[in-house]
Amino acid sequence: PPPFFLFLGCVEDVGQNRAEATLPRLAELNAYVAVSSTRQPLSQDLLAPFQVVVLTNSSLEEQLWVGDFCHSHGIKLVVADTRGLFGQLFCDFGDDMVVTDTNGEQPLSAMVSMVTKGCPGEVTCLDEARHGFETGDFVTFTEVEGMEELNGCGPVEIRVLGPYTFSIGDTSGFGDYVRGGIVTQVKMPKHIRFKRLREALAEPELMITDFGKAERPPIMHWGWQALHRFIRQHGRPPRPRHQGDAAEVVALTREVAPGAELDQDLLRELAFQATGDLAPVNAFIGGLAAQEVMKAVSGKFTPITQWLYFDALECLPEENKETVLSEEQCRPRNSRYDGQIAVFGAELQAKLGAQKYFVVGAGAIGCELLKNFAMVGLGCGPEGCVTVTDMDTIEKSNLNRQFLFRPWDVTKLKSERAAAAVREMNPALQVSSRPDRVGPDTERVYDDDFFEALDGVANALDNVDARLYMDRRCVYYRKPLLESGTLGTKGNVQVVIPFLSESYSSSQDPPEKAIPICTLKNFPNAIEHTLQWARDEFEGLFKQPAENVNQYLTWVSGGAGGWIGPLRVLEGVWGVGSSPWGGRGGKTNSGTLFWSGPKRCPHPLVFDPDNPLHLDYVMAAANLFAQSYGIGGSRDRGAVAELLRHVRVPPFAPKAGVRIHVSDQELQSTTTALDDGRLEELKASLPSPEELPGFRMFPIDFEKDDDTNFHMDFIVAASNLRAENYDIPPADRHKSKLIAGKIIPAIATTTGAVVGLACLELYKLVQGHRRLGSYKNAFLNLALPFVGFSEPLACPRNKYYEVEWTLWDRFEVQGLQPDGQEMTLRQFLAYFKKEHRLEITMLSQGVSMLYSFFMPAAKLRERHDQPMTEIVARVSKKKVGRHVKALVFELCCNDDTDADIEVPYVRYTIR
């Protein structure tokens, strides 16, 4: 297939024109996009109407005349090509390409604490967080008191002086700074000049993707031109692994770049793979090319300037390459996999077909993985299989990036529809689907037999907890793991190789910084704060009280202490919190202004039934309260507004003597416990459960995607009303939904590129590469653009006595003795003393403590002669399931000198 377009062809399409076979499947992806095909040869009349032209699999002569025409007529040009494990990309977006947003990041902002008068004036920001600006950035100011000339002035260029300071030019004629102010980054248009292809061919600007191979792009640039010359002279590309053709390509490269120092081995590989066609490389280059098209038409994100060359030669065999990849092994076989056989030979194709893989998740990444697996033939042999699981159903919003799904698949299971789609692409694919969430609850399904039969796992998950769980399973069963993820234009790939690399769990990102409670409660200063407050209000009004009531109605009192749980919550609901309302001039004990810096002084709102935002809040809250009580609501805004006109809302009056907590520590230190008297008072004021037979409430779980359930209506109205209290600019429904719903940005281009790189690692795993340096973890940000690679980190090594071990090692203990009896605790302890010179001081299984040296003597005597599984069942109060072949024990041990030492875990086999 051409590398830019995804050729959604099936077996029945063989022999058809590629554009015509692709067209109906491409049109299915989005009914709002008009697509058409033509068999006309390229001409100026054909190109003239278009904004962007993308050339794939084209000759250099065609590229040059198209490049000249497009450049002179203001048409953007992208050239994309792949040859086996090699990729090429070129962009020409004209003499003056205007980029409106270079990186796609939200503009930075910071709160001002001081501005000096001078030339230049210096701005100091609050030291709660670094401002993050860079020299050359442009900023604007709002809410500055005193030096008000700054407010509303045009964007000002800055020079960074430190993490909290920067200069802004001449402020000597401005008023004296008093307080306040917010400084916000402004994204300024950036102008980029592109050379036309003919000029760029002679004077190339090269984007480096792998700094470990920084010398290769110039050689590939010349080699690709030599390849075009070879094809023009012979009417065909070089044959796979043909030594004579490869030597001629090297000679032609010398003609293209006379006097240049050439890497002949690299050029020979380019020639050997000229007929190669690999789905993962197509996906990577195609994803990048598609993103460049989006940049060309939108002006958003920085384009590639101008050439990008890529190779993944680490995918070739580590040893005996000349023997494994002979001309005979790589010759065409009239197979759908000939493009792959040309690169890797027929033996690897057979290995790919025999693989058994588990794909966890059938969302955006899962769809791309399955597509690539079908294309490369993974699990397509009689012994192979691919299992995909996902418990989610397809939503309409999935259709922009989970391309295996169609509008008629909405509400159906993702795993089932994804499996059906790739089965149509490649009927030989042995794919089965399941609707199960991976986790401890499904270990009867994904048991020892299931994992032991696998060759590897590919994660396509959207949360860290599930990733950590699957990582632990892969380490335990010693299976390789392909881990990948995306966030908008950003993506990453991590490959986990048993006994070689660290695991996913070995290093984690720092946790997201939480918004302090006192900020949410008393001092919001950004829309994110009011949205989080609104989400908390939703839980506190429509979910938690109903859950507490239902819990109370089924509660069995065990004395005053037995009531503490629900009564504490009820006391909190009924209690009156502190009020932050106060005058602007209030001061702290030290004499400084209280409402300053990040603390914005609030003002009350006057209820107005004719204000649409006020009515939105009442409509949403009333209907949600009705739902939680199981009664009908009303969608008649006019009737509700008329009713509210007769409701008297008393004017707001702040409470006197209220202490406002300025930090979470202060808030926690003043939390008072409920005394027994208050508990009894609350208990007496509530009707007993017996007085409310059959009554229950209906807790509401927040659901952002249903526009008819009033959930987002409440969030938007509550957040924007609170924002108005604190003079914070409001957010529209779309922005509110993104923030409150914690929607992770996702685009198909990044997904395609990331999964392409992940599947390149698959080639290495299937071949059994044993050099850590052969593998690549990848990081990319298509907005910048940036693509980088690093070698996976080796697994850390530990030692006890002279025994070296890693996270992949463990003690293997056979629980059943030769006489058929299971090992007792006494025998288990003695075994480690004798075989490993280790004194076990503590022994646990999961959260259950099975043995410790400080246990009471009576309990130790009782357990010493019990079988290990019996102890586990008694302590955990759970029977060991019949599906469990082995138990995992964690040990604390002393060595011969009574020193604590770290040792691996124990795999205790019982079946």
Side-chain angles (χ1 to χ4, degrees):
F4 172 60
F5 293 111
L6 169 66
F7 180 51
L8 298 171
C10 301
V11 173
E12 62 267 25
D13 299 323
V14 172
Q16 292 187 47
N17 175 273
R18 291 196 296 189
E20 292 170 0
T22 301
L23 185 67
R25 292 178 170 84
L26 195 61
E28 286 176 357
L29 290 174
N30 194 336
Y32 299 104
V33 177
V35 292
S36 60
S37 66
T38 180
R39 293 195 183 196
Q40 293 181 42
L42 284 183
S43 66
Q44 294 184 359
D45 289 341
L46 187 66
L47 299 178
F50 292 97
Q51 290 175 276
V52 185
V53 171
V54 182
L55 293 179
T56 66
N57 288 2
S58 53
S59 68
L60 183 59
E61 292 72 29
E62 188 174 66
Q63 292 172 16
L64 287 169
W65 81 256
V66 170
D68 288 341
F69 177 80
C70 287
H71 193 91
S72 59
H73 287 77
I75 300 171
K76 314 291 196 302
L77 174 67
V78 175
V79 179
D81 201 3
T82 64
R83 301 279 174 175
L85 290 166
F86 294 87
Q88 178 196 55
L89 190 61
F90 170 78
C91 298
D92 172 12
F93 295 165
D95 288 322
D96 187 21
M97 168 70 175
V98 180
V99 178
T100 56
D101 181 357
T102 58
N103 59 16
E105 301 294 336
Q106 286 294 320
L108 299 170
S109 66
M111 305 193 88
V112 177
S113 64
M114 184 62 194
V115 185
T116 64
K117 294 175 72 171
C119 186
E122 293 186 6
V123 179
T124 303
C125 298
L126 290 174
D127 59 5
E128 290 188 337
R130 295 167 180 258
H131 54 61
F133 300 135
E134 297 179 1
T135 295
D137 282 349
F138 285 78
V139 299
T140 58
F141 292 85
T142 56
E143 303 184 28
V144 176
E145 293 187 29
M147 196 177 284
E148 285 157 7
E149 294 88 344
L150 289 175
N151 295 328
C153 71
V156 179
E157 188 173 2
I158 67 169
R159 185 169 71 88
V160 171
L161 304 176
Y164 308 102
T165 57
F166 57 87
S167 62
I168 57 171
D170 189 0
T171 61
S172 55
F174 292 177
D176 292 333
Y177 175 82
V178 176
R179 64 181 170 190
I182 297 174
V183 56
T184 304
Q185 182 185 38
V186 177
K187 300 206 171 190
M188 303 296 287
K190 180 179 180 182
H191 295 259
I192 303 176
R193 179 190 176 274
F194 288 79
K195 302 172 186 173
R196 67 180 65 213
L197 177 61
R198 191 178 302 276
E199 183 184 351
L201 204 62
E203 300 173 352
E205 293 181 58
L206 301 166
M207 174 180 161
I208 305 299
T209 59
D210 190 338
F211 288 93
K213 309 173 183 176
E215 76 287 349
R216 290 187 185 180
I219 299 169
M220 286 191 276
H221 183 71
W222 301 320
W224 223 284
Q225 295 174 62
L227 205 56
H228 281 295
R229 288 192 184 186
F230 182 100
I231 294 169
R232 186 174 68 249
Q233 291 174 10
H234 295 274
R236 61 167 176 83
R239 289 162 286 187
R241 296 286 151 186
H242 191 280
Q243 299 295 335
D245 286 357
E248 188 173 342
V249 169
V250 173
L252 287 170
T253 308
R254 289 199 182 97
E255 294 178 13
V256 172
E261 187 175 341
L262 302 178
D263 182 338
Q264 294 192 34
D265 290 338
L266 180 67
L267 293 169
R268 284 162 56 82
E269 279 298 340
L270 180 60
F272 287 156
Q273 299 183 33
T275 61
D277 192 358
L278 301 177
V281 179
N282 293 340
F284 174 66
I285 295 296
L288 266 61
Q291 189 65 60
E292 294 308 301
V293 173
M294 301 301 292
K295 295 173 185 178
V297 299
S298 69
K300 190 173 178 69
F301 309 148
T302 302
I304 293 172
T305 51
Q306 286 186 259
W307 291 97
L308 178 146
Y309 286 95
F310 169 80
D311 79 85
L313 295 183
E314 306 82 13
C315 295
L316 295 175
E318 288 181 321
E319 297 175 352
N320 305 319
K321 186 168 68 175
E322 299 302 324
T323 305
V324 176
L325 300 181
S326 63
E327 191 174 349
E328 168 60 24
Q329 269 287 316
C330 298
R331 65 174 174 80
R333 285 161 167 75
N334 194 28
S335 156
R336 70 178 292 156
Y337 307 115
D338 275 354
Q340 190 161 264
I341 291 171
V343 178
F344 293 112
E347 286 186 10
L348 178 60
Q349 194 59 55
K351 286 183 180 178
L352 285 165
Q355 292 290 297
K356 298 177 178 65
Y357 254 75
F358 185 28
V359 179
V360 189
I365 288 177
C367 284
E368 280 289 334
L369 283 167
L370 290 169
K371 179 263 288 185
N372 276 275
F373 288 178
M375 296 294 101
V376 305
L378 189 85
C380 293
E383 299 175 2
C385 70
V386 173
T387 303
V388 57
T389 189
D390 197 308
M391 70 286 182
D392 281 348
T393 55
I394 300 162
E395 299 175 3
K396 192 172 184 180
S397 62
N398 298 147
L399 300 179
N400 81 314
R401 62 195 180 280
Q402 301 176 18
F403 78 100
L404 294 182
F405 308 138
R406 301 293 181 269
W408 50 86
D409 292 325
V410 171
T411 74
K412 297 176 184 176
L413 278 170
K414 286 184 177 181
S415 57
E416 286 183 4
R417 297 312 304 150
V422 291
R423 200 180 288 117
E424 187 179 352
M425 285 184 184
N426 189 344
L429 180 63
Q430 308 289 324
V431 59
S432 61
S433 62
R434 294 202 60 89
D436 311 299
R437 184 193 303 271
V438 292
D441 295 342
T442 55
E443 287 180 6
R444 288 181 177 274
V445 177
Y446 306 119
D447 56 11
D448 291 341
D449 289 338
F450 176 82
F451 271 98
E452 286 167 1
L454 293 176
D455 292 297
V457 174
N459 272 354
L461 293 160
D462 61 359
N463 68 89
V464 172
D465 289 341
R467 285 184 166 106
L468 291 171
Y469 174 80
M470 285 308 302
D471 180 66
R472 291 194 299 270
R473 299 296 272 173
C474 288
V475 170
Y476 177 71
Y477 292 105
R478 295 167 169 173
K479 302 299 179 182
L481 172 65
L482 290 172
E483 170 60 58
S484 48
T486 68
L487 183 70
T489 59
K490 301 169 188 173
N492 72 284
V493 175
Q494 181 179 354
V495 57
V496 178
I497 314 106
F499 301 103
L500 282 184
S501 75
E502 67 175 15
S503 74
Y504 174 81
S505 309
S506 300
S507 57
Q508 295 181 40
D509 293 333
E512 289 185 23
K513 189 175 181 181
I515 303 171
I517 295 172
C518 65
T519 299
L520 295 177
K521 188 177 177 67
N522 296 329
F523 309 117
N525 56 64
I527 197 66
E528 288 80 5
H529 301 160
T530 64
L531 281 164
Q532 182 60 56
W533 175 87
R535 279 289 285 112
D536 294 345
E537 281 285 287
F538 187 98
E539 297 290 315
L541 291 173
F542 311 120
K543 183 179 181 183
Q544 292 168 0
E547 289 178 342
N548 292 330
V549 168
N550 290 343
Q551 184 183 5
Y552 170 74
L553 292 173
T554 58
W555 195 264
V556 179
S557 174
W563 295 89
I564 289 177
L567 291 178
R568 277 188 185 278
V569 178
L570 289 171
E571 204 274 348
V573 172
W574 291 346
V576 179
S578 61
S579 168
W581 311 97
R584 181 73 182 179
K587 294 188 176 182
T588 64
N589 293 335
S590 61
T592 60
L593 290 170
F594 182 85
W595 296 107
S596 61
K599 298 193 286 290
R600 304 168 74 97
C601 183
H603 60 84
L605 305 180
V606 177
F607 178 69
D608 178 2
D610 294 319
N611 185 315
L613 186 60
H614 295 196
L615 185 57
D616 286 347
Y617 179 83
V618 173
M619 286 288 297
N623 277 280
L624 289 168
F625 272 123
Q627 290 175 33
S628 66
Y629 279 95
I631 59 178
S634 171
R635 296 177 181 270
D636 189 337
R637 289 177 66 90
V640 173
E642 182 60 33
L643 182 66
L644 291 174
R645 289 189 184 96
H646 302 288
V647 175
R648 181 182 175 276
V649 180
F652 173 79
K655 292 184 179 295
V658 172
R659 177 176 175 79
I660 302 174
H661 306 296
V662 297
S663 70
D664 283 6
Q665 293 82 357
E666 186 179 320
L667 188 64
Q668 291 166 3
S669 66
T670 58
T671 301
T672 57
L674 292 176
D675 58 32
D676 290 343
R678 177 60 176 150
L679 289 172
E680 289 301 320
E681 180 185 335
L682 287 171
K683 183 178 173 182
S685 66
L686 292 169
S688 68
E690 292 77 14
E691 296 176 58
L692 299 168
F695 178 77
R696 68 184 298 266
M697 292 188 69
F698 302 90
I700 301 174
D701 291 308
F702 178 67
E703 169 52 58
K704 67 183 184 302
D705 292 320
D706 183 353
D707 287 334
T708 67
N709 63 10
F710 290 104
H711 295 198
M712 277 308 303
D713 300 82
F714 176 84
I715 297 297
V716 174
S719 170
N720 284 339
L721 285 170
R722 188 165 175 82
E724 191 176 342
N725 286 145
Y726 287 86
D727 294 316
I728 298 168
D732 61 22
R733 188 183 184 91
H734 177 69
K735 182 177 180 180
S736 299
K737 188 174 181 178
L738 287 177
I739 298 171
K742 298 181 179 178
I743 294 175
I744 299 173
I747 50 177
T749 51
T750 311
T751 308
V754 162
V755 174
L757 294 176
C759 289
L760 288 174
E761 300 308 301
L762 176 69
Y763 287 133
K764 305 168 189 177
L765 293 171
V766 173
Q767 292 174 87
H769 283 14
R770 299 308 301 162
R771 297 175 194 157
L772 199 58
S774 297
Y775 292 92
K776 298 282 186 181
N777 288 343
F779 311 88
L780 56 83
N781 186 342
L782 301 187
L784 295 178
F786 169 80
V787 181
F789 298 92
S790 67
E791 181 181 311
L793 294 176
C795 46
R797 299 193 170 275
N798 306 291
K799 205 171 187 181
Y800 69 92
Y801 296 129
E802 298 306 313
V803 180
E804 200 172 65
W805 62 279
T806 72
L807 63 95
W808 298 98
D809 294 305
R810 62 200 178 200
F811 294 112
E812 295 281 0
V813 178
Q814 184 64 44
L816 290 180
Q817 304 298 292
D819 59 2
Q821 298 298 310
E822 191 194 341
M823 185 181 285
T824 64
L825 175 59
R826 187 190 304 276
Q827 292 169 328
F828 186 89
L829 299 175
Y831 171 83
F832 274 87
K833 186 73 173 174
K834 178 183 176 184
E835 298 295 329
H836 301 290
R837 294 161 49 207
L838 295 172
E839 175 99 33
I840 297 177
T841 56
M842 281 193 287
L843 171 67
S844 62
Q845 191 262 339
V847 296
S848 301
M849 178 66 70
L850 308 181
Y851 163 82
S852 69
F853 69 93
F854 50 78
M855 273 183 174
K859 186 176 283 189
L860 285 177
R861 284 195 300 271
E862 178 188 350
R863 291 188 182 177
H864 262 141
D865 295 315
Q866 290 177 345
M868 297 294 290
T869 53
E870 186 177 326
I871 298 173
V872 169
R874 286 192 177 188
V875 176
S876 67
K877 295 182 173 58
K878 294 179 184 176
K879 288 186 177 180
V880 177
R882 292 185 176 274
H883 65 285
V884 177
K885 284 186 174 181
L887 297 172
V888 173
F889 296 143
E890 299 287 345
L891 306 178
C892 290
C893 295
N894 289 349
D895 62 12
D896 290 339
T897 65
D898 274 346
D900 290 341
I901 54 172
E902 194 173 351
V903 296
Y905 69 91
V906 177
R907 184 174 185 267
Y908 179 80
T909 305
I910 57 176
R911 306 194 204 288

